[in-house]
Amino acid sequence: MLKKIIHFLGILIFTCSIYSCNNHSDNKRNEESETIPPIGFRTTDYELYTTSVKRNETLPALLKRLGMPSDSMGVLVSKLDTLFNPRRMKIGQKVEAYYSGDSLTHRLEYAVYSHSKTKVTVFKCADSLYLWNYIKPVEHQQRKADVVINNSLWADLTAQGAPAQLVIELADIYAWTVNFFGLQKGDRFQTIYTQSVCEGEVIGVDHVDFCKYSRGDDQVCAIRFDIPGKGDKYFNPQGENLRKAFLKAPLKFTRVSSKFTMRRKHPITGQVRPHTGVDYAAPMGTPVVALGDGVVTFAGWTNNGGGNMIKIQHNSVYNTGYLHLKGFANGIKKGKRVTQGQVIGYVGSTGRSTGPHLDFRVWKNGTPIDPLAMKSPAAEPLPSQYKPQLDSLFTTYSNMLNGD
């Protein structure tokens, strides 16, 4: 009798164990099926239609175009509050519409407006009507790039899969030390940078941590270092600031169409005379920036063929001139103090000119000098107490580039 009882209890415990396991698995599956993605609904449950905001399209007009009933639309629009400003809707912005049902019972369930690559507003367009904002998660990844110039820095870097913004970052870092108008085939750029990635797409470059430019045996390294209270700056391994008192050039990504010379045949007058400046060919309207900090001493029209011109006094030694401008930036006038890199005007073709370009000039102690040959003094170096940290960073980044 005792054996029968023990046998019965064993069967009962085994059966309960099976039920408990099955029940736990069912609960787990139910929990997984009820999990809502961070955006607020399961996009895969609906049919997707992608469109964009049309010219002069309002929010009600957009929702109506997507198929939302007018009565529901009014209720939803009344709940915008501070969550969504319809006046800031922009033409071309991406909109995703999610529908339930079939061709006969097609119903708009959700509309998702993209403000940017990371922020969207979700409109619940059926049943309980409401809206919310969703910020997509962004991942920050450190990457390496190593490119030898064959065509151009832009073409060669992007061909390797690096983001185009990296080219701009490198140009800013090396603006005082590398002449980007004079890059040669065989020049090499190696860099370690941090990029932002959202949903598998690179959306920007956070910063460049380290970079090295090489031409033959010559190298220029730049190490990103955060000085407390002063922010990120770039220094070479010796602690010298890569920033100079003057930029290498007053505009970005173009070409030199005419160099400094004492004998040039003018393309319009045909006269042979000195051209004491550098001509940068660039598209009409390209921003022109101040080469360094200073005060505007002239901003207006010149009658000697220079057209619209700005002249800046930087210190007791250096003055710079910017000729043939289409126009001046807001607030630029005589007496205005400007900072290095500040937009002061725009490339034009005023005065005696055959096409859009900037005629850029530099005077040292009142004498014209060649802007491409000018050597600029460095800015403030790294404080000595931070040199050991800089040395450590240089070693770490160099090893990373070498694959160690």
Side-chain angles (χ1 to χ4, degrees):
M1 181 68 179
L2 181 60
K3 289 183 178 180
K4 290 183 177 180
I5 294 174
I6 293 174
H7 180 67
F8 173 75
L9 290 175
I11 294 173
L12 180 63
I13 292 172
F14 179 70
T15 303
C16 289
S17 298
I18 294 175
Y19 173 77
S20 176
C21 290
N22 289 338
N23 189 50
H24 176 73
S25 298
D26 290 342
N27 288 338
K28 187 175 181 180
R29 281 194 295 269
N30 289 336
E31 289 175 2
E32 289 176 350
S33 65
E34 293 173 0
T35 300
I36 302 298
I39 195 172
F41 67 100
R42 285 186 292 275
T43 58
T44 54
D45 290 349
Y46 304 96
E47 178 186 346
L48 170 63
Y49 167 70
T50 302
T51 184
S52 60
V53 177
K54 296 182 178 181
R55 183 179 297 277
N56 299 324
E57 190 169 40
T58 63
L59 179 60
L62 171 63
L63 294 174
K64 181 179 180 181
R65 176 162 65 89
L66 296 178
M68 187 174 184
S70 298
D71 53 347
S72 299
M73 187 194 312
V75 175
L76 184 58
V77 171
S78 69
K79 296 182 178 181
L80 296 181
D81 196 25
T82 59
L83 290 172
F84 185 83
N85 185 348
R87 293 182 179 180
R88 293 187 177 179
M89 288 175 58
K90 297 179 181 178
I91 181 174
Q93 289 297 98
K94 180 181 176 182
V95 179
E96 295 179 331
Y98 293 87
Y99 297 89
S100 63
D102 52 28
S103 57
L104 297 177
T105 60
H106 215 224
R107 186 172 78 159
L108 178 66
E109 298 286 347
Y110 298 93
V112 180
Y113 174 88
S114 295
H115 298 269
S116 64
K117 293 182 182 295
T118 59
K119 179 183 177 181
V120 299
T121 296
V122 182
F123 298 90
K124 180 72 171 68
C125 301
D127 299 328
S128 52
L129 306 170
Y130 57 100
L131 68 151
W132 63 92
N133 290 320
Y134 170 57
I135 304 298
K136 301 176 184 179
V138 176
E139 181 183 359
H140 302 280
Q141 304 171 342
Q142 193 173 65
R143 291 288 184 266
K144 295 190 295 184
D146 187 344
V147 62
V148 176
I149 301 299
N150 184 48
N151 296 304
S152 69
L153 179 59
W154 185 288
D156 295 328
L157 260 181
T158 54
Q160 285 194 3
Q165 186 187 341
L166 181 59
V167 182
I168 299 173
E169 297 292 330
L170 291 174
D172 286 341
I173 293 169
Y174 284 125
W176 300 270
T177 52
V178 175
N179 182 3
F180 277 76
F181 304 115
L183 291 180
Q184 298 177 7
K185 192 172 184 178
D187 288 359
R188 184 181 184 186
F189 284 88
Q190 297 168 276
T191 181
I192 297 170
Y193 63 98
T194 301
Q195 63 183 17
S196 295
V197 179
C198 181
E199 296 183 337
E201 179 186 359
V202 177
I203 59 173
V205 174
D206 299 340
H207 49 253
V208 172
D209 300 296
F210 177 78
C211 48
K212 180 165 67 173
Y213 165 73
S214 306
R215 172 179 288 179
D217 294 330
D218 296 329
Q219 296 181 347
V220 182
C221 293
I223 309 160
R224 175 176 166 265
F225 194 92
D226 185 8
I227 301 177
K230 294 186 178 180
D232 293 340
K233 298 182 183 298
Y234 289 90
F235 301 90
N236 66 16
Q238 291 73 45
E240 297 169 337
N241 199 323
L242 260 72
R243 185 182 187 274
K244 304 290 184 181
F246 298 126
L247 293 172
K248 202 70 174 176
L251 71 174
K252 297 179 180 179
F253 301 109
T254 183
R255 62 185 177 85
V256 173
S257 56
S258 183
K259 296 183 178 181
F260 184 99
T261 177
M262 300 310 292
R263 288 183 58 84
R264 185 189 75 158
K265 184 177 181 180
H266 196 280
I268 294 179
T269 65
Q271 295 178 332
V272 177
R273 54 185 301 178
H275 180 250
T276 55
V278 172
D279 286 350
Y280 293 101
M284 182 75 72
T286 298
V288 174
V289 302
L291 200 71
D293 297 349
V295 177
V296 176
T297 57
F298 180 84
W301 181 265
T302 60
N303 294 318
N304 59 0
N308 288 322
M309 173 183 172
I310 293 174
K311 194 170 183 179
I312 299 174
Q313 180 177 354
H314 299 283
N315 48 39
S316 60
V317 177
Y318 290 98
N319 288 267
T320 54
Y322 313 78
L323 287 67
H324 304 301
L325 298 172
K326 177 182 178 181
F328 310 135
N330 289 337
I332 297 299
K333 59 183 179 180
K334 184 177 180 179
K336 173 72 175 179
R337 179 166 294 278
V338 294
T339 57
Q340 185 181 78
Q342 178 179 339
V343 176
I344 57 173
Y346 305 92
V347 168
S349 187
T350 56
R352 284 198 297 268
S353 170
T354 58
H357 74 284
L358 173 70
D359 182 347
F360 175 62
R361 308 197 175 200
V362 179
W363 294 269
K364 182 178 181 180
N365 294 320
T367 301
I369 64 172
D370 184 354
L372 296 180
M374 179 178 62
K375 295 186 181 297
S376 175
E380 183 180 357
L382 180 75
S384 58
Q385 66 265 34
Y386 299 117
K387 186 61 167 59
Q389 294 171 251
L390 185 76
D391 293 340
S392 178
L393 284 174
F394 178 64
T395 300
T396 299
Y397 290 138
S398 295
N399 289 338
M400 288 177 65
L401 285 181
N402 294 330
D404 298 339

